[in-house]
Amino acid sequence: MLTCALVAALVSACQDDGKTSQKQAAELCAKLAPIVAEDVGQVRTGLPVGSQTLATLVDTDPGANLLGLQRAIAGTRASVKELGFAKSTFFSFADPSGTVLRSETDPDMLANRSVLASFPELRKVLAPDSGLVEAFGEMQEMRGVRNGPDLQWVAAHPVKASDGELKGLFVTGWSFRAYAYRLQEAAKREVAEIAKRDGLKATPLLYVFVWKGGKAYGGPETPDVNTEALEKLDLPAKTASGPWSGTLEIAGRTFGAAAQRTPELAADAGVAALSSTL
């Protein structure tokens, strides 16, 4: 009888931990979704303004002075509030053919690479009446991790001279896995507050993901088995009618899981979280 009582108590404790973790994951997703909306909004608002500013700073032949071009990109970001706060992993200037001449940071992995070749949808930015154009795709030089799957969100805006001539393209965006890491670091502060509020002895283990379609992308240190477990859930289906939460068993550990769409990024995109109090 004592053995049965002990087993029942352990099962109950595991169930309680699963429910607690589920609640934590759902709470974190609810806090992260507005952050994604804000981050996307900063790029969409700031890039058109920045392109106008950049047009006044670049030389007639932008490729003739690459150091000056780098300074112009940095100066543009500093003068446009939204771009100064933007969470992009790169800011680059490409010539009218789509070939990147210079990026803001070093080492410049994008230099001499064509963004239009990797993101064909961005070719719409070359139209005479074009404004901001966005695309999703994969480009080796934009990866947020050395190995494993990744995806990039890229935005481009034409940079035009006063007479309307196309000088080039102002390009920015982020790697999903690098962005997931950024969100996870931000969420750590939230989860610490949650742990304190709920009287937990230790801060829960946390993994944050950004997903699009059937694929999920976690930070560089996220175990592949966690990503695979999330993808098997079919997050687009789970969130079709709103935010979703539940529990998962991954490698013998109970996780609370949650996912929520972020339509500001894309109709089939969102954030997800795995939390474990064990």
Side-chain angles (χ1 to χ4, degrees), residues 141-157:
E141 293 76 16
M142 292 182 184
R143 294 176 60 84
V145 293
R146 181 174 299 178
N147 299 309
D150 201 354
L151 185 72
Q152 292 89 41
W153 172 67
V154 181
H157 195 283

Side-chain angles (χ1 to χ4, degrees), residues 85-266:
F85 287 114
K87 308 311 182 294
S88 299
T89 51
F90 63 91
F91 281 89
S92 305
F93 180 89
D95 66 19
S97 74
T99 300
V100 173
L101 298 181
R102 196 65 172 86
S103 300
E104 181 185 18
T105 58
D106 290 309
D108 189 356
M109 302 298 293
L110 294 178
N112 301 316
R113 300 292 190 271
S114 172
V115 293
L116 299 187
S118 296
F119 304 90
E121 290 184 12
L122 290 184
R123 292 186 179 278
K124 297 175 183 177
V125 78
L126 301 178
D129 58 348
S130 173
L132 184 72
V133 177
E134 304 171 31
F136 294 92
E138 298 180 56
M139 187 173 183
Q140 181 68 24
E141 293 76 16
M142 292 182 184
R143 294 176 60 84
V145 293
R146 181 174 299 178
N147 299 309
D150 201 354
L151 185 72
Q152 292 89 41
W153 172 67
V154 181
H157 195 283
V159 177
K160 295 184 177 181
S162 57
D163 62 359
E165 180 184 0
L166 182 64
K167 286 187 172 184
L169 310 174
F170 197 12
V171 186
T172 190
W174 57 58
S175 147
F176 268 47
R177 295 193 67 174
Y179 186 62
Y181 176 76
R182 182 256 163 183
L183 291 178
Q184 183 168 302
E185 290 300 298
K188 284 181 179 180
R189 295 188 290 272
E190 293 288 347
V191 80
E193 290 298 320
I194 291 174
K196 182 178 179 180
R197 181 199 66 193
D198 294 347
L200 301 179
K201 295 180 179 179
T203 301
L205 180 63
L206 173 69
Y207 296 101
V208 172
F209 303 79
V210 183
W211 54 271
K212 186 177 188 302
K215 304 296 292 183
Y217 304 89
E221 297 179 359
T222 301
D224 290 342
V225 65
N226 291 14
T227 304
E228 292 166 1
L230 267 184
E231 291 178 344
K232 289 178 181 178
L233 293 175
D234 190 357
L235 296 181
K238 291 287 188 184
T239 59
S241 59
W244 168 87
S245 66
T247 58
L248 281 177
E249 289 289 332
I250 304 176
R253 187 169 194 143
T254 301
F255 282 90
Q260 184 167 331
R261 294 198 181 197
T262 54
E264 296 83 3
L265 179 59

Side-chain angles (χ1 to χ4, degrees), residues 35-46 82 153 174 264:
I35 293 176
V36 176
E38 181 180 9
D39 291 344
V40 172
Q42 287 172 344
V43 171
R44 289 178 179 158
T45 300
E82 290 83 2
W153 172 67
W174 57 58
E264 296 83 3

